[in-house]
Short mmCIF file of all heavy atoms in Angstrom, two decimals:
data_model
loop_
_atom_site.label_atom_id
_atom_site.label_comp_id
_atom_site.label_asym_id
_atom_site.label_seq_id
_atom_site.Cartn_x
_atom_site.Cartn_y
_atom_site.Cartn_z
N CYS A 311 -12.79 3.21 20.67
CA CYS A 311 -12.55 3.76 19.29
C CYS A 311 -11.51 4.86 19.36
O CYS A 311 -11.68 5.85 20.05
CB CYS A 311 -13.85 4.29 18.72
SG CYS A 311 -13.58 5.09 17.09
N ALA A 312 -10.44 4.72 18.60
CA ALA A 312 -9.35 5.71 18.62
C ALA A 312 -9.73 7.02 18.02
O ALA A 312 -9.08 8.05 18.27
CB ALA A 312 -8.13 5.14 17.91
N PHE A 313 -10.82 7.06 17.21
CA PHE A 313 -11.24 8.31 16.57
C PHE A 313 -12.25 9.11 17.38
O PHE A 313 -12.58 10.23 17.05
CB PHE A 313 -11.82 7.98 15.18
CG PHE A 313 -12.08 9.21 14.35
CD1 PHE A 313 -11.06 10.07 13.93
CD2 PHE A 313 -13.43 9.52 13.94
CE1 PHE A 313 -11.32 11.19 13.16
CE2 PHE A 313 -13.66 10.63 13.19
CZ PHE A 313 -12.66 11.46 12.77
N ALA A 314 -12.70 8.52 18.48
CA ALA A 314 -13.82 9.13 19.25
C ALA A 314 -13.50 10.55 19.69
O ALA A 314 -14.40 11.41 19.69
CB ALA A 314 -14.11 8.25 20.47
N ALA A 315 -12.30 10.82 20.08
CA ALA A 315 -11.94 12.17 20.56
C ALA A 315 -12.03 13.25 19.46
O ALA A 315 -12.13 14.45 19.76
CB ALA A 315 -10.53 12.17 21.13
N ARG A 316 -12.09 12.84 18.20
CA ARG A 316 -12.13 13.75 17.11
C ARG A 316 -13.52 13.68 16.37
O ARG A 316 -13.70 14.33 15.35
CB ARG A 316 -11.05 13.41 16.06
CG ARG A 316 -9.69 13.37 16.65
CD ARG A 316 -8.64 12.87 15.67
NE ARG A 316 -8.30 13.82 14.62
CZ ARG A 316 -7.47 13.60 13.61
NH1 ARG A 316 -6.93 12.37 13.46
NH2 ARG A 316 -7.21 14.50 12.69
N CYS A 317 -14.41 12.92 16.91
CA CYS A 317 -15.65 12.57 16.18
C CYS A 317 -16.86 13.28 16.81
O CYS A 317 -17.08 13.16 18.04
CB CYS A 317 -15.82 11.05 16.18
SG CYS A 317 -17.31 10.53 15.29
N ASP A 318 -17.70 13.91 16.00
CA ASP A 318 -18.91 14.63 16.47
C ASP A 318 -20.01 13.57 16.84
O ASP A 318 -20.97 13.94 17.46
CB ASP A 318 -19.42 15.54 15.40
CG ASP A 318 -18.52 16.74 15.15
OD1 ASP A 318 -17.76 17.07 16.06
OD2 ASP A 318 -18.57 17.33 14.05
N HIS A 319 -19.84 12.32 16.41
CA HIS A 319 -20.89 11.33 16.62
C HIS A 319 -20.59 10.43 17.80
O HIS A 319 -21.38 9.52 18.08
CB HIS A 319 -21.06 10.47 15.37
CG HIS A 319 -21.39 11.24 14.12
ND1 HIS A 319 -22.69 11.55 13.71
CD2 HIS A 319 -20.57 11.88 13.22
CE1 HIS A 319 -22.65 12.29 12.64
NE2 HIS A 319 -21.41 12.49 12.30
N ALA A 320 -19.48 10.65 18.50
CA ALA A 320 -19.07 9.75 19.60
C ALA A 320 -20.06 9.83 20.77
O ALA A 320 -20.61 10.83 21.13
CB ALA A 320 -17.68 10.14 20.06
N THR A 321 -20.25 8.63 21.37
CA THR A 321 -21.07 8.51 22.55
C THR A 321 -20.32 7.56 23.53
O THR A 321 -19.22 7.12 23.26
CB THR A 321 -22.42 7.87 22.24
OG1 THR A 321 -22.26 6.50 21.82
CG2 THR A 321 -23.19 8.67 21.17
N LEU A 322 -20.97 7.27 24.65
CA LEU A 322 -20.38 6.36 25.62
C LEU A 322 -20.07 4.99 25.02
O LEU A 322 -19.16 4.30 25.48
CB LEU A 322 -21.28 6.22 26.83
CG LEU A 322 -21.45 7.47 27.75
CD1 LEU A 322 -22.41 7.16 28.84
CD2 LEU A 322 -20.06 7.89 28.30
N ALA A 323 -20.85 4.64 24.02
CA ALA A 323 -20.64 3.32 23.38
C ALA A 323 -19.28 3.23 22.76
O ALA A 323 -18.69 2.12 22.62
CB ALA A 323 -21.70 3.07 22.31
N CYS A 324 -18.73 4.38 22.40
CA CYS A 324 -17.37 4.40 21.71
C CYS A 324 -16.20 4.08 22.61
O CYS A 324 -15.08 4.00 22.20
CB CYS A 324 -17.19 5.74 21.01
SG CYS A 324 -18.48 6.11 19.82
N ARG A 325 -16.50 3.89 23.93
CA ARG A 325 -15.46 3.53 24.85
C ARG A 325 -15.11 2.04 24.71
O ARG A 325 -14.15 1.55 25.30
CB ARG A 325 -15.88 3.77 26.30
CG ARG A 325 -16.04 5.30 26.63
CD ARG A 325 -16.48 5.50 28.02
NE ARG A 325 -16.62 6.93 28.32
CZ ARG A 325 -17.00 7.44 29.51
NH1 ARG A 325 -17.32 6.58 30.52
NH2 ARG A 325 -17.15 8.74 29.70
N VAL A 326 -15.92 1.33 23.94
CA VAL A 326 -15.66 -0.06 23.60
C VAL A 326 -15.22 -0.13 22.15
O VAL A 326 -15.80 0.52 21.28
CB VAL A 326 -16.94 -0.91 23.82
CG1 VAL A 326 -16.69 -2.33 23.36
CG2 VAL A 326 -17.38 -0.85 25.22
N GLN A 327 -14.17 -0.92 21.87
CA GLN A 327 -13.65 -0.99 20.48
C GLN A 327 -14.71 -1.63 19.57
O GLN A 327 -15.21 -2.73 19.84
CB GLN A 327 -12.41 -1.91 20.50
CG GLN A 327 -11.77 -2.09 19.11
CD GLN A 327 -11.28 -0.79 18.58
OE1 GLN A 327 -10.60 -0.04 19.25
NE2 GLN A 327 -11.59 -0.53 17.31
N PRO A 328 -15.10 -0.93 18.51
CA PRO A 328 -16.09 -1.49 17.59
C PRO A 328 -15.53 -2.62 16.75
O PRO A 328 -14.32 -2.72 16.58
CB PRO A 328 -16.44 -0.30 16.72
CG PRO A 328 -15.24 0.54 16.70
CD PRO A 328 -14.68 0.41 18.10
N VAL A 329 -16.41 -3.56 16.34
CA VAL A 329 -15.97 -4.68 15.53
C VAL A 329 -16.41 -4.42 14.07
O VAL A 329 -17.31 -3.68 13.81
CB VAL A 329 -16.53 -6.01 16.05
CG1 VAL A 329 -16.01 -6.29 17.42
CG2 VAL A 329 -18.05 -5.93 16.05
N PHE A 330 -15.71 -5.10 13.17
CA PHE A 330 -16.10 -4.97 11.76
C PHE A 330 -17.46 -5.60 11.50
O PHE A 330 -17.74 -6.69 11.96
CB PHE A 330 -15.05 -5.64 10.91
CG PHE A 330 -14.18 -4.67 10.16
CD1 PHE A 330 -12.88 -4.42 10.63
CD2 PHE A 330 -14.58 -4.02 9.03
CE1 PHE A 330 -12.07 -3.55 9.96
CE2 PHE A 330 -13.77 -3.11 8.35
CZ PHE A 330 -12.54 -2.89 8.81
N THR A 331 -18.30 -4.90 10.74
CA THR A 331 -19.59 -5.41 10.33
C THR A 331 -19.81 -5.08 8.88
O THR A 331 -19.18 -4.12 8.32
CB THR A 331 -20.74 -4.81 11.16
OG1 THR A 331 -20.71 -3.37 11.05
CG2 THR A 331 -20.59 -5.21 12.65
N GLU A 332 -20.69 -5.79 8.25
CA GLU A 332 -21.06 -5.46 6.89
C GLU A 332 -21.86 -4.19 6.85
O GLU A 332 -22.77 -4.01 7.67
CB GLU A 332 -21.87 -6.63 6.29
CG GLU A 332 -21.19 -7.98 6.23
CD GLU A 332 -19.97 -7.95 5.36
OE1 GLU A 332 -19.97 -7.22 4.35
OE2 GLU A 332 -18.98 -8.63 5.70
N ALA A 333 -21.58 -3.33 5.87
CA ALA A 333 -22.32 -2.04 5.78
C ALA A 333 -22.33 -1.63 4.32
O ALA A 333 -21.25 -1.47 3.70
CB ALA A 333 -21.66 -0.98 6.60
N ARG A 334 -23.51 -1.50 3.74
CA ARG A 334 -23.66 -1.21 2.33
C ARG A 334 -22.85 -2.17 1.50
O ARG A 334 -22.94 -3.38 1.67
CB ARG A 334 -23.28 0.27 2.07
CG ARG A 334 -24.06 1.33 2.86
CD ARG A 334 -23.68 2.72 2.34
NE ARG A 334 -24.23 3.71 3.24
CZ ARG A 334 -23.57 4.21 4.23
NH1 ARG A 334 -22.35 3.83 4.47
NH2 ARG A 334 -24.11 5.14 5.02
N ALA A 335 -21.99 -1.66 0.66
CA ALA A 335 -21.21 -2.53 -0.21
C ALA A 335 -19.91 -2.97 0.46
O ALA A 335 -19.21 -3.82 -0.13
CB ALA A 335 -20.93 -1.79 -1.53
N GLY A 336 -19.53 -2.42 1.58
CA GLY A 336 -18.26 -2.77 2.17
C GLY A 336 -18.38 -3.23 3.65
O GLY A 336 -19.43 -3.70 4.09
#
Side-chain angles (χ1 to χ4, degrees):
C311 174
F313 189 63
R316 307 172 73 184
C317 181
D318 292 337
H319 303 270
T321 66
L322 291 177
C324 302
R325 294 180 180 178
V326 176
Q327 180 64 46
V329 297
F330 254 102
T331 57
E332 301 296 326
R334 302 188 191 90

